[in-house]
């Protein structure tokens, strides 16, 4: 009996081991198939088209970012965000923000858990931020680039006379806490939008600022409608109108006092703060004066300057278009963000030659016109081949070959950000400056299985470099329908109409 029991137990153990092995093998095979299916998008096989794509994995819009979400909206303006794609091939995520502000409006003082690179598309703005304990205030105009570091307190005002302000910005989530695309911490606030100070007990605030509870209630119960407010007498709360009318250093003192209060719980101050909360209220309401600090020769506090990309001479220009690439050697604040900026303008029908960015992922926004974007997988199959128009946002992973082609009905202009602030040296695959002309001809010819002469007939036929003349692949002479990509910002050039706005 003992022998039979022992044999039965051994048999059951063998069966269990075999079952476990089969289950693990099945799971492994399933996982491999899943990964293979994910990576082999656009892979060849039966049903391939002339682009090399087709098949089960081809997705003509995979590298478009078509959905924008509204994160701020008031009668005075709004902010929408297009989120970056996730996945293993995204070496550094980056969200793209669109800010629209009516004339005489203010994006109230705040700080964010993400860094911003602002690009003024249309209008004029005044941006103020605390930089090394001073208020760095700048007037921005069309084409200006300006960096705001994560955690830096700032505000933004539309100062254009009767003109809407339109800003495109990169949003770098590398330092964020993961609360959505980014998290704002508002310094100001009221009944409808909470200041970061509002969570403290009123007695705590009254004691900290050395004022009465009533004084605190007066500020934190104001009827501000949201983060973007009017600052004209007919629309705005008196608080923000007076804030913008204050001298520059008075605004600095106000912002610093509110920000410094949050740090008192972490580190006790060694110096006495000269402005009490009561003096702050008096100044905002028009009865106080602030201490003045030294300013530079231009009458403004020292701090990072802006950079106008339209005033820069193109890095490359020929009869078919031009391109500009801005790196940290051109605009030093980019070094701290690790983000580059570029701007490309193609004439009707011309092509940015197929090329590779070996150092960075690119994010692009179509500013004007329409065109065609082609992106290729590492296996040589088509990853995306689609028409884009004003307001569309696309991205190209690092190392992926791609090209942009303008439609034949007009110029094609696109602006964007790269995930490297260093000198970008794209490797062009076609044209007079291509790597196919740089590589040794015998070795290259052998890799294609053709003679050197036949290879040279191909590589030397194109005399132009970088931006090439009219392409047969250019989109046809007809307008692009706006319905193709729903719920995305379009017509961002002139009037910034918003598609899919509730």
């Amino acid at each position: 009996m003992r022998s039979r029991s022992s044999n039965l137990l051994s048999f059951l153990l063998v069966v269990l081991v075999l079952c476990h092995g089969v289950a693990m093998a099945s799971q492994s095979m399933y996982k491999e198939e899943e990964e293979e299916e994910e990576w082999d998008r656009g892979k060849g096989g039966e049903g391939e088209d002339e682009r090399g794509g087709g098949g089960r994995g081809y997705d003509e819009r995979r590298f478009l970012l078509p959905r924008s979400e509204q994160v701020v909206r008031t009668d005075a303006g709004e902010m929408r965000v297009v989120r970056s794609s996730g996945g293993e091939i995204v070496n550094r995520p980056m969200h793209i923000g669109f800010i629209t502000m009516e004339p005489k409006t203010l994006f109230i003082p705040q700080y964010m858990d993400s860094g911003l690179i602002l690009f003024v598309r249309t209008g004029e703005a005044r941006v103020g931020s605390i930089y090394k304990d001073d208020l760095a205030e700048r007037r921005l105009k069309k084409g200006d680039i300006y960096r705001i570091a994560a955690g830096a307190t700032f505000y933004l005002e539309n100062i254009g006379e009767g003109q809407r302000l339109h800003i495109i910005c990169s949003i770098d989530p590398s330092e964020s806490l993961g609360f959505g695309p980014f998290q704002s911490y508002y310094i100001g606030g009221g009944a409808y939008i909470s200041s970061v100070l509002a969570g403290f007990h009123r007695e705590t605030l009254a004691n900290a600022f050395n004022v009465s509870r009533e004084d605190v209630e007066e500020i934190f119960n104001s009827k501000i409608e949201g983060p973007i407010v009017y600052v004209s007498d007919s629309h705005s709360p008196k608080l923000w109108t007076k804030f913008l009318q204050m001298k520059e250093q008075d605004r600095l003192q106000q912002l610093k006092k509110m920000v410094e209060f949050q740090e008192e719980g972490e580190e006790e101050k060694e110096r006495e703060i000269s402005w009490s909360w009561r003096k702050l209220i008096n100044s905002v309401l028009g009865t106080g004066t602030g201490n003045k600090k030294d300013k530079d020769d231009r009458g403004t506090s020292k701090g990072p300057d802006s950079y106008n990309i339209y005033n820069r001479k193109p890095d490359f220009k020929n009869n078919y278009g031009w391109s500009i690439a801005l790196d940290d050697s051109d605009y030093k604040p980019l070094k701290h963000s690790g983000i580059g900026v570029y701007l490309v303008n193609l004439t009707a029908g011309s092509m940015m030659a197929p090329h590779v960015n070996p150092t960075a992922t690119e994010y692009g926004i179509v500013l004007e016109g329409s065109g065609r974007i082609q992106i290729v997988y590492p296996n040589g199959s088509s990853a995306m081949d689609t028409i884009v128009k004003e307001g569309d946002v696309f991205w190209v992973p690092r190392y992926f070959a791609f090209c942009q082609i303008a439609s034949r009905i007009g110029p094609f202009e696109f602006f964007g950000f790269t995930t490297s602030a260093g000198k970008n040296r794209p490797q062009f695959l076609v044209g007079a400056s291509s790597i196919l002309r740089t590589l040794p001809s015998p070795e290259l010819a052998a890799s294609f299985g053709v003679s050197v002469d036949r290879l040279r007939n191909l590589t030397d036929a194109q005399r132009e470099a970088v931006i090439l003349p009219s392409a047969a692949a250019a989109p046809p002479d007809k307008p692009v329908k706006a319905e193709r990509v729903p719920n995305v910002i379009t017509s961002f050039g002139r009037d910034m109409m918003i598609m899919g706005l509730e």
Side-chain angles (χ1 to χ4, degrees), residues 14-175:
V14 171
V15 171
L16 285 173
V17 169
L18 288 174
C19 289
H20 179 71
V22 171
M24 292 298 292
S26 300
Q27 185 177 357
S28 176
M29 290 174 61
Y30 177 76
K31 185 176 181 181
E32 287 178 6
E33 288 178 0
E34 202 173 45
E35 291 176 350
E36 198 174 307
E37 185 175 336
E38 171 67 21
W39 179 246
D40 286 347
R41 290 177 182 269
K43 206 165 190 177
E46 294 184 7
E48 273 193 357
D49 58 22
E50 62 181 3
R51 297 169 298 199
R56 66 182 181 182
Y58 182 73
D59 182 358
E60 68 171 10
R61 292 171 54 188
R62 184 182 182 190
F63 295 100
L64 286 182
L65 302 176
R67 290 189 177 182
S68 66
E69 58 183 284
Q70 191 177 76
V71 294
V72 170
R73 185 183 183 184
T74 70
D75 291 340
E78 73 163 6
M79 180 176 183
R80 301 183 74 91
V81 173
V82 176
R83 295 195 188 216
S84 170
S85 292
E88 295 180 356
I89 61 174
V90 182
N91 67 317
R92 181 178 173 183
M94 183 190 301
H95 310 310
I96 305 298
F98 297 86
I99 301 172
T100 304
M101 295 172 61
E102 297 294 330
K104 297 183 179 180
T105 54
L106 171 74
F107 208 157
I108 68 174
Q110 62 185 285
Y111 60 92
M112 295 182 178
D113 65 356
S114 300
L116 306 179
I117 303 293
L118 305 181
F119 168 66
V120 180
R121 175 56 178 152
T122 60
E124 293 182 64
R126 179 168 63 190
V127 59
S129 62
I130 292 182
Y131 177 77
K132 294 183 178 179
D133 281 342
D134 275 327
L135 180 64
E137 195 168 71
R138 292 286 179 266
R139 291 175 67 97
L140 305 179
K141 61 182 184 297
K142 180 179 179 179
D144 276 347
I145 306 291
Y146 189 81
R147 175 180 179 260
I148 299 174
T153 299
F154 74 96
Y155 57 88
L156 187 65
E157 180 191 3
N158 181 0
I159 59 175
E161 285 293 330
Q163 187 177 15
R164 283 182 178 176
L165 174 66
H166 301 305
I167 289 178
I168 302 173
C169 62
S170 67
I171 303 172
D172 177 14
S174 61
E175 299 181 67

Side-chain angles (χ1 to χ4, degrees), residues 213-434:
R213 182 187 176 100
E214 288 72 22
D215 289 333
V216 174
E217 294 287 356
E218 179 184 352
I219 293 294
F220 291 102
N221 288 335
S222 62
K223 302 300 181 183
I224 179 174
E225 295 183 357
I228 304 178
V229 298
Y230 282 98
V231 292
S232 62
D233 292 337
S234 59
H235 291 88
S236 70
K238 190 175 181 180
L239 176 70
W240 294 116
T241 301
K242 292 297 183 181
F243 171 81
L244 293 175
Q245 291 173 353
M246 293 167 64
K247 297 294 185 181
E248 181 178 324
Q249 290 303 321
D250 295 347
R251 289 198 294 273
L252 169 65
Q253 294 288 355
Q254 178 182 347
L255 292 176
K256 285 179 65 178
K257 177 58 181 175
M258 300 176 92
V259 172
E260 285 171 348
F261 171 78
Q262 300 166 69
E263 299 172 352
E264 288 180 357
E266 301 174 5
E267 182 178 351
E268 185 176 352
K269 288 184 169 25
E270 296 180 358
R271 68 181 188 276
E272 181 181 355
I273 298 175
S274 61
W275 272 44
S276 69
W277 181 251
R278 187 181 302 278
K279 289 180 181 178
L280 176 63
I281 295 174
N282 289 339
S283 176
V284 172
L285 296 181
T287 60
T289 57
N291 298 326
K292 294 185 177 180
K293 288 187 176 182
D294 293 335
K295 297 183 180 181
D296 61 20
D297 295 336
R298 296 176 297 177
T300 58
S301 299
K302 294 180 180 179
D305 207 345
S306 58
Y307 189 102
N308 194 280
I309 197 169
Y310 288 128
N311 290 343
R312 177 193 170 112
K313 184 179 179 181
D315 300 300
F316 178 87
K317 184 177 182 180
N318 62 14
N319 293 332
Y320 313 107
W322 50 264
S323 66
I324 295 173
L326 201 63
D327 58 46
D328 55 12
S329 66
D330 305 304
Y331 182 48
K332 290 184 178 179
L334 293 178
K335 182 177 182 179
H336 303 290
S337 66
I339 292 174
V341 177
Y342 69 90
L343 179 65
V344 177
N345 185 290
L346 305 178
T347 61
S350 64
M351 170 197 294
M352 177 71 78
H355 61 287
V356 174
N357 190 334
T359 60
T361 294
E362 296 189 14
Y363 294 84
I365 305 98
V366 180
L367 301 182
E368 180 184 356
S370 60
R372 186 176 180 180
I373 306 290
Q374 295 184 4
I375 304 174
V376 178
Y377 281 117
N379 65 4
S381 63
S382 178
M384 186 178 83
D385 182 1
T386 193
I387 307 298
V388 293
K389 55 177 176 27
E390 277 187 53
D392 280 350
V393 181
F394 61 91
W395 68 287
V396 183
R398 183 180 180 183
Y399 306 123
F400 279 41
F402 65 104
C403 71
Q404 301 98 341
I405 308 167
S407 71
R408 296 194 292 266
I409 61 175
F412 180 37
E413 183 171 291
F414 49 95
F415 164 89
F417 305 96
T418 65
T419 58
S420 172
K423 194 77 173 178
N424 181 28
R425 300 185 184 279
Q427 297 182 0
F428 285 90
L429 306 175
V430 179
S433 60
S434 72

